[in-house]
């Protein structure tokens, strides 16, 4: 990935640093991208189910899939996930200090029932289906840790640079109410000042320095120089958890066993929790001298920094609704063609945010800490519309299936919760950024099934997805080359009576993520960069009964 592309990705993943932290492009992408689950059969086939149908997992992709079979069915699908991460730290000298981590999670990504009603007719409308299905469209349970040594920049310096740029009043930083809606400062500056991570210096009342920095003044020019006081051991830890779950009400119809049509009303439930913990520790505390005033300024005492930490937590929850229409046609018995289109989802979201800071010195009397109250916000998010096409070739011994899906992320938009408000109000800037930096995302899915016997089948699948992110190079908008790939395989057993079961394994390799714990604040001196590689194993079983 070249430097231009990397910086585009980085710009979407810089650590949260303001009051309205949920309304940015990175969070919009994280909350709206789909990672389809389903039944073990659909996952084993790579979710290439748009033209196949006949399975609860297919109904999420194409509502017409519920009408393909002429029987009712109930299935539920327990799943075990193993999430692996690998993080590397770059202080400007290349990625190193790789740290590995993993988490496990038990979920039930798919459960539901398809009720099939026969009309008794031999042609025309032969069957009508009603379905009620719960299906996960994403889970997120990962944790990463990155660490390294840096003597060029400090998170405390980045906060101090921000406070100095806006000439923040230290009296207001110390005394103003966090909950004052008119207070113009971001909470990192508030917490940073109250926890001792930043302070004014040199007699200034609007210039700030980080606790890990020192300043000198040229005796001739009187020019001040501020730089990191010495090497720092930096540590960044991020934990994420959440899920996006769709509850579907489906209606399907079978027209002469040649055309199947259907529609979904989908109700989305969403929850996301992201917490970060950033820590800097002095390798040699004697280099990090800080001076404190006692007795009203009559006495000055030196103390040496041991470490400081800054923590942030963001929780987002909400719900939404969308509609989806689809069809499957059989021009000849061994060919199936499927298509579906989904409206944008209208999401109502609520978020809470909290941050805290703490500094520790060799003299504990100067230790300080501060915790913000929980900030709360609510807003709406309009997600991309989606469309998918499918082609399947079938026989008594097996099948081949191919899917294409498109989602237009440039159409995402944040909106006010007040439905009577005309315009975007505070969201114009981020909505313009969405239009400028996001575009179409494409997904390609393929699956194959072979029946060893009438009762036993084996399956394999493959997925390939592109990123909707774009960047400008020489006046031309280009795609970010960040791809997610998945490989799956599985097997199924179908009895001659009611019971059937399936097993599937899937491995997903996500595109590498490039993250900056804090932004660049010194010209020609980049802040640390973290490269995160993530993989996801799923082992899913489906138990089903026909009736």
């Amino acid at each position: 990935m070249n430097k231009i592309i990397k910086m585009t990705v980085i710009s979407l993943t810089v650590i949260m640093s303001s009051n309205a932290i949920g309304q940015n492009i990175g969070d919009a992408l994280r909350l709206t991208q789909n990672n389809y689950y389903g039944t073990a059969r659909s996952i084993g086939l790579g979710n290439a189910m748009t033209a196949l149908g006949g399975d609860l997992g297919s109904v999420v992709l194409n509502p017409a899939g519920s009408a393909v079979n002429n029987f009712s069915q109930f299935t539920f699908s327990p799943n075990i996930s193993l999430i692996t991460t690998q993080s590397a730290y770059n202080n400007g000298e290349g990625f190193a200090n790789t740290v590995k981590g993993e988490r496990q999670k038990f979920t039930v990504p798919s459960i539901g029932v398809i009720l099939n009603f026969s009309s008794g007719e031999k042609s025309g409308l032969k069957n009508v289906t009603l379905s009620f299905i719960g299906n996960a469209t994403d889970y997120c349970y990962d944790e990463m840790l990155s660490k390294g040594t840096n003597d060029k920049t400090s998170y405390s310096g980045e906060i101090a640079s921000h406070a100095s740029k806006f000439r923040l009043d230290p009296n207001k930083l110390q005394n103003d109410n966090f909950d004052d809606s008119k207070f113009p400062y971001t909470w990192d500056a508030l917490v940073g000042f109250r926890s001792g991570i930043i302070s004014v210096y040199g007699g200034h009342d609007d210039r700030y320095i980080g606790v890990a920095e020192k300043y000198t003044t040229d005796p001739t020019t009187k020019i001040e120089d501020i730089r990191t006081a010495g090497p720092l051991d930096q540590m960044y830890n991020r934990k994420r958890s959440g899920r996006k779950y769709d509850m579907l009400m489906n209606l399907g119809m079978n027209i002469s066993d040649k055309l199947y049509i259907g529609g979904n009303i989908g109700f989305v439930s969403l929850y996301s929790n992201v917490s970060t913990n950033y820590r800097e520790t002095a390798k040699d505390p004697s280099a990090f001298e800080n001076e404190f005033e006692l007795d009203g300024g009559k006495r000055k005492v030196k103390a040496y920094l041991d470490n400081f930490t800054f923590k942030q937590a963001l929780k987002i929850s909400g719900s939404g609704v969308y509609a989806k229409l689809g069809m499957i046609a059989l021009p000849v018995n061994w060919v199936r063609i499927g298509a579906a289109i989904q409206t944008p989802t209208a999401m109502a979201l609520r978020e809470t945010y909290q941050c805290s800071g703490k500094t520790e010195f060799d003299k504990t009397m100067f230790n300080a800490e501060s915790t913000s109250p929980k900030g709360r916000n609510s807003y709406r998010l309009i997600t991309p519309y989606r469309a998918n096409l499918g082609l399947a070739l079938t026989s008594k011994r097996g099948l081949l299936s191919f899917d294409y899906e498109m989602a237009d992320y440039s159409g995402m938009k944040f909106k006010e919760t007040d439905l009577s408000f005309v315009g975007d109000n505070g969201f114009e800037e981020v909505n313009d950024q969405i239009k400028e930096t996001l575009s179409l995302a494409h997904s390609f899915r393929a699956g194959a099934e072979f029946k060893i016997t009438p009762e036993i089948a084996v399956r394999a699948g493959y997925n390939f997805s592109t990123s909707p992110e774009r960047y400008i190079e020489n006046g031309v908008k280009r795609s970010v080359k960040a791809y997610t790939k998945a490989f799956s395989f599985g097997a199924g057993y179908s009895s001659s009576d009611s019971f059937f079961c399936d097993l599937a394994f899937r491995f997903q390799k996500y595109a590498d993520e490039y993250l900056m714990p804090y932004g660049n604040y010194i010209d020609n001196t980049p802040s640390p960069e973290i490269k995160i590689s993530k993989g996801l194993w799923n082992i899913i079983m489906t138990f089903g009964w026909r009736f």
Side-chain angles (χ1 to χ4, degrees):
M1 179 179 287
N2 64 46
K3 191 63 176 178
I4 296 176
I5 299 177
K6 282 172 59 177
M7 292 309 297
T8 303
V9 180
I10 289 169
S11 70
L12 303 184
T13 53
V14 173
I15 189 173
M16 308 166 290
S17 61
S18 67
N19 297 20
I21 54 174
Q23 306 96 51
N24 60 61
I25 298 178
D27 284 299
L29 276 176
R30 181 170 54 86
L31 297 174
T32 58
Q33 288 183 305
N34 280 347
N35 176 24
Y36 292 110
Y37 281 75
T39 64
R41 181 172 186 254
S42 64
I43 288 178
L45 286 167
N47 273 323
M49 300 290 288
T50 298
L52 289 176
D55 182 280
L56 266 73
S58 71
V59 179
V60 178
L61 299 163
N62 188 345
S66 63
V68 169
N69 291 331
N70 59 4
F71 52 80
S72 301
Q73 58 180 301
F74 166 79
T75 69
F76 75 97
S77 305
N79 169 71
I80 297 176
S81 298
L82 173 64
I83 306 98
T84 63
T85 56
Q86 183 170 292
S87 306
Y89 171 95
N90 180 9
N91 64 358
E93 299 177 359
F95 289 101
N97 301 330
T98 299
V99 179
K100 297 181 179 180
E102 64 178 45
R103 293 186 70 181
Q104 300 82 33
K105 185 67 178 179
F106 174 81
T107 58
V108 181
S110 177
I111 185 171
V113 61
I114 298 176
L115 303 175
N116 192 300
F117 302 93
S118 174
S119 68
E121 300 294 332
K122 294 184 179 181
S123 62
L125 181 60
K126 296 185 65 176
N127 299 84
V128 175
T129 55
L130 292 176
S131 307
F132 303 91
I133 299 170
N135 191 81
T137 52
D138 196 21
Y139 285 115
C140 180
Y141 297 97
D142 63 57
E143 180 177 1
M144 56 76 57
L145 172 70
S146 184
K147 52 188 177 181
T149 301
N150 183 12
D151 62 359
K152 302 178 183 67
T153 64
S154 166
Y155 191 11
S156 66
E158 196 269 345
I159 299 176
S161 175
H162 164 79
S164 296
K165 178 180 179 180
F166 292 98
R167 298 290 193 264
L168 303 186
D169 184 342
N171 293 317
K172 290 183 175 294
L173 287 175
Q174 184 61 44
N175 300 312
D176 276 21
N177 192 336
F178 275 98
D179 296 324
D180 184 354
S181 61
K182 297 180 181 180
F183 193 70
Y185 312 146
T186 55
W187 284 10
D188 56 348
L190 280 163
V191 170
F193 186 80
R194 298 183 188 189
S195 62
I197 295 176
I198 64 171
S199 62
V200 291
Y201 71 96
H204 300 291
D205 60 4
D206 60 358
R207 300 285 185 89
Y208 294 82
I209 188 170
V211 69
E213 295 183 308
K214 66 178 180 181
Y215 80 97
T216 58
T217 304
D218 187 290
T220 304
T221 64
K222 306 300 181 182
I223 296 177
E224 296 176 335
D225 180 54
I226 299 177
R227 63 185 62 200
T228 304
L232 294 159
D233 286 332
Q234 299 180 322
M235 184 277 294
Y236 177 77
N237 173 241
R238 183 186 70 187
K239 295 181 179 180
R240 300 193 301 186
S241 61
R243 51 102 184 101
K244 185 151 61 78
Y245 211 85
D246 292 10
M247 301 297 296
L248 304 178
M249 293 192 302
N250 166 270
L251 174 67
M253 289 179 281
N254 173 359
I255 311 297
S256 300
D257 294 328
K258 291 293 185 180
L259 177 65
Y260 306 92
I261 58 176
N264 291 344
I265 297 296
F267 301 92
V268 181
S269 173
L270 179 149
Y271 172 77
S272 172
N273 185 5
V274 182
S275 62
T276 63
N277 180 12
Y278 184 83
R279 181 183 181 95
E280 292 186 359
T281 302
K283 290 189 73 70
D284 178 10
S286 65
F288 295 84
E289 179 183 297
N290 286 258
E291 192 174 76
F292 295 87
E293 294 182 350
L294 297 177
D295 302 329
K298 296 179 180 179
R299 186 161 59 97
K300 295 183 178 180
V301 179
K302 294 180 178 179
Y304 300 93
L305 175 69
D306 182 78
N307 70 83
F308 75 87
T309 60
F310 194 87
K311 298 180 180 180
Q312 300 181 88
L314 170 66
K315 295 182 180 180
I316 301 175
S317 61
S319 57
V321 63
Y322 66 86
K324 192 166 191 174
L325 297 174
M327 56 78 65
I328 298 174
L330 281 69
V332 294
N333 288 337
W334 54 278
V335 175
R336 293 170 178 259
I337 299 171
I341 187 166
Q342 178 178 311
T343 68
T345 304
M347 300 286 297
L349 301 176
R350 302 168 299 279
E351 71 176 29
T352 61
Y353 169 68
Q354 190 169 36
C355 62
S356 64
K358 183 178 182 180
T359 53
E360 294 184 333
F361 297 88
D362 64 326
K363 295 181 175 65
T364 58
M365 63 182 294
F366 298 115
N367 292 353
E369 58 184 302
S370 175
T371 300
S372 74
K374 286 186 177 181
R376 290 177 169 82
N377 200 6
S378 61
Y379 50 93
R380 294 185 293 144
L381 175 62
I382 307 301
T383 77
Y385 78 87
R386 301 175 185 275
N388 46 303
L389 298 171
L391 171 67
L393 309 176
T394 64
S395 72
K396 293 182 178 180
R397 296 302 301 272
L399 61 88
L400 291 173
S401 184
F402 306 92
D403 272 22
Y404 164 73
E405 180 172 315
M406 177 272 291
D408 184 5
Y409 284 86
S410 66
M412 284 198 304
K413 183 177 289 188
F414 288 101
K415 289 180 172 288
E416 294 286 345
T417 54
D418 183 358
L419 298 179
S420 66
F421 187 86
V422 178
D424 298 329
N425 197 8
F427 299 122
E428 291 93 341
E429 182 177 355
V430 67
N431 287 337
D432 288 343
Q433 290 174 353
I434 289 173
K435 292 179 182 179
E436 181 66 23
T437 61
L438 299 182
S439 186
L440 300 179
H442 309 278
S443 295
F444 303 90
R445 302 187 288 264
E449 180 180 81
F450 178 73
K451 290 189 176 182
I452 301 174
T453 70
E455 295 81 18
I456 299 175
V458 293
R459 308 177 183 108
Y462 175 73
N463 292 177
F464 179 86
S465 300
T466 68
S467 170
E469 298 171 56
R470 301 293 184 265
Y471 67 99
I472 304 296
E473 184 179 37
N474 299 326
V476 179
K477 186 178 290 189
R478 302 186 184 277
S479 301
V480 172
K481 293 179 172 57
Y483 309 123
T484 296
K485 303 175 184 179
F487 306 86
S488 60
F489 57 95
Y493 167 76
S494 180
S495 71
S496 58
D497 297 320
S498 171
F499 178 73
F500 60 95
C501 65
D502 300 284
L503 173 67
F505 300 85
R506 179 173 68 179
F507 174 71
Q508 292 174 275
K509 176 64 175 69
Y510 290 86
D512 290 338
E513 175 186 2
Y514 293 83
L515 179 148
M516 294 171 64
Y518 55 92
N520 295 325
Y521 65 97
I522 303 176
D523 292 340
N524 302 317
T525 305
S527 297
E529 181 181 354
I530 299 170
K531 177 183 178 181
I532 305 171
S533 300
K534 178 182 170 183
L536 172 62
W537 279 99
N538 287 299
I539 305 173
I540 185 168
M541 288 196 71
T542 294
F543 302 93
W545 291 265
R546 296 180 288 264
F547 57 95

